[in-house]
C-alpha cells in the first residue's frame, strides 16, 4: 500500500517471494536512455541477450522473451502448443498451479487436475508416480501435455521435474511437458534440455532480480513443431514471428527496452558469479531460514525435506492465529513485506522470500522483524530463530568465501 505522506528511513524490506529486491547495479543499467528498437545498437543488444539467456535455462534452443508478466508467458506456452478441446494433465501443487489450471479452462482446453487429496498437495511436490499411472491409462494418447509448476511460490515446495520426465518416458506417452519455473529460474536448479522440457515458462521479477514486466518461453524442437500446426488462436504470443525477428536481435513489436538493459546486466551478474554458486547461495539462505523456523518451534509449510524450496520458506502459524494479521503487524511496525497465504493457505501461513538482492544480514534483519512481530502478535515461540540463523550462517561459510 502506498502511503504518500509517510517516508520511512532506510530501505524497505521487500522479502516477498517476488518481486524480489533489485540490485542497484541493475537499476542503474535500466536508467540509461531508451534507444531506437529498430536501430543497430538495439539489434546488437538483442543478439547478446538471446544468447546469454539460454545459459540460465540450460538450453541450446531458442528462448522467447515477452513484454508481459509471467501470466502472459503461461498463456503463450498453452496457446502455441495446444488446440481448443485438447486434454491436458495438470498437477495441483498450490495456488499457482491452480491459477494455471483456471487459465487452461478459459482457453477452452480440457484440463485434468490431479494431486494428493485435500490440503496435502499444498505441502508436497509433484507425485511423478501419479502422472505415470494416469498416462499409462491413456492408451489413446488423448492427453496432449503435462503441466507442472517447478517452484510453487505459494507454498515453498519444489517439484522434481526430472522425475516427471522419467514418468512420461516410462509410460511411453507422447505428451508435451510444460513447466512453470517463474520463481525458480536463477535461484533453484533448473535444466531445460537435460530434463526434456518442451516449454519452460519464467518471469523477470523473481530469481532474475529484475522489476516485473518481462517473461519467457524456453522451447524444444517438438514444441516449435506443435506450434506450426496447433489451432489455438494466437497473435501477440505467436512464436513464429518473434523467432523470425529474433534472428537479427529484434522483436516484431516494441520490446521493453529498459527492462532488457536490466536483463543484460542481470545475466552478466549471474553468469560471472556462476550458476552453481548462485544456487548454493540460495540453498544456504534457505537452510538458515529453516533453522530459524525450527528454533521458533513452528512448522514449515513444505512437509518433504527433499523438496524444500531454496527460494522461499512458508511459515505455518499455530491453530487459532491468523497469519495475515501477523504479517500486517510486521509490515506496519518494521517496514518489512512478507508473502501472504494464498488460496487454500490463506490465513494459515506467511512466506519469507530469500531471493534477489539479499545477503546474510538482510535475512537476519528479516528474521528479526518476523520474530519481534510474532511476539507482539502473541505467537508462542520456543526460542530465538534469529540467533539460530545467525549461528548457522556464521558456521556455514559459502564455498569460496572467507
Ligand atoms: C509469480 C508467479 C506466477 C505469476 O507471474 P506474474 O508475473 O505475476 O504474472 C506464476 N507462477 C509462479 C510459480 C509464480 O511464482
Amino acid at each position: 500500500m502506498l502511503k504518500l505522506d509517510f517516508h520511512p528511513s532506510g530501505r524497505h524490506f521487500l522479502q516477498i517471494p517476488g518481486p524480489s529486491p533489485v540490485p542497484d547495479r541493475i537499476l542503474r543499467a535500466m536508467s540509461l536512455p531508451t534507444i531506437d528498437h529498430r536501430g543497430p545498437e538495439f539489434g546488437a543488444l538483442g543478439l547478446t541477450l538471446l544468447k546469454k539467456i539460454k545459459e540460465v535455462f540450460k538450453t541450446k534452443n531458442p528462448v522467447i522473451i515477452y513484454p508481459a508478466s509471467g501470466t502472459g508467458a503461461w498463456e503463450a506456452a498453452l496457446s502455441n502448443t495446444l488446440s481448443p478441446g485438447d486434454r491436458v494433465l495438470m498437477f495441483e501443487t498450490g495456488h499457482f498451479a491452480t491459477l494455471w489450471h483456471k487459465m487452461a479452462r478459459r482457453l477452452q482446453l480440457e484440463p485434468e487436475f490431479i494431486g494428493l487429496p485435500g490440503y496435502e498437495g499444498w505441502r508436497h511436490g509433484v507425485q511423478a508416480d501419479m502422472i505415470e499411472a494416469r498416462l499409462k491409462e491413456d492408451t489413446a494418447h488423448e492427453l496432449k501435455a503435462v503441466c507442472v509448476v517447478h517452484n510453487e511460490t505459494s507454498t515453498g515446495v519444489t517439484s522434481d521435474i526430472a522425475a516427471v520426465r522419467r514418468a512420461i518416458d516410462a509410460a511411453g506417452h507422447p505428451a508435451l511437458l510444460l513447466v512453470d519455473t517463474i520463481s525458480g529460474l536463477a535461484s533453484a536448479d533448473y535444466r531445460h534440455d537435460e530434463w526434456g522440457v518442451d516449454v519452460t515458462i519464467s518471469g523477470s521479477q523473481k530469481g532474475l532480480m529484475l522489476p516485473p514486466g518481462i517473461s519467457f518461453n524456453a522451447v524444444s524442437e517438438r514444441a516449435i513443431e506443435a506450434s506450426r500446426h496447433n489451432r489455438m488462436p494466437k497473435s501477440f504470443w505467436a512464436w513464429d514471428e518473434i523467432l523470425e525477428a529474433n534472428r537479427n536481435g529484434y522483436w516484431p513489436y516494441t520490446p521493453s527496452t529498459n527492462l532488457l538493459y536490466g536483463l543484460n546486466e542481470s545475466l552478466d551478474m549471474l553468469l560471472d558469479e556462476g550458476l552453481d554458486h548462485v544456487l548454493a547461495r540460495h540453498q544456504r539462505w534457505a537452510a538458515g531460514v529453516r533453522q530459524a523456523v525450527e528454533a521458533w518451534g513452528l512448522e514449515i509449510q513444505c512437509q518433504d525435506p527433499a523438496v524444500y524450496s531454496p527460494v522461499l520458506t512458508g511459515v505455518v502459524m499455530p491453530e487459532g492465529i491468523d497469519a495475515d494479521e501477523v504479517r500486517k503487524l510486521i509490515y506496519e511496525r518494521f517496514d518489512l513485506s512478507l508473502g501472504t497465504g494464498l488460496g487454500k493457505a490463506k490465513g494459515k501461513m506467511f512466506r519469507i522470500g530469500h531471493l534477489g538482492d539479499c545477503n546474510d544480514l538482510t535475512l537476519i534483519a528479516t528474521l528479526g522483524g518476523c520474530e519481534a512481530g510474532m511476539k507482539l502478535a502473541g505467537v508462542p515461540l520456543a526460542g530465538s530463530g534469529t540467533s539460530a540463523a545467525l549461528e548457522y550462517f556464521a558456521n556455514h561459510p559459502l564455498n569460496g568465501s572467507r
Side-chain angles (χ1 to χ4, degrees), residues 17-19 68-74 93 95-97 99-100 149-154 180-184 201-206 212-215 311-312 342 351:
S69 86
T71 303
W74 260 351
T93 46
H95 188 64
F96 287 102
L99 290 179
W100 200 13
V149 175
H150 170 234
N151 184 67
E152 180 50 83
T153 324
S154 63
D180 165 348
T181 191
I182 294 179
S183 63
I201 299 119
S202 196
S204 55
Q205 74 273 29
K206 302 187 179 171
I214 50 178
S215 54
V311 178
L312 74 140
L342 293 166
R351 298 169 295 143

Side-chain angles (χ1 to χ4, degrees), residues 186-206:
S187 28
D189 188 21
Y190 194 80
R191 310 169 189 199
H192 177 85
D193 285 0
E194 188 183 320
W195 294 344
V197 181
D198 291 297
V199 189
T200 298
I201 299 119
S202 196
S204 55
Q205 74 273 29
K206 302 187 179 171

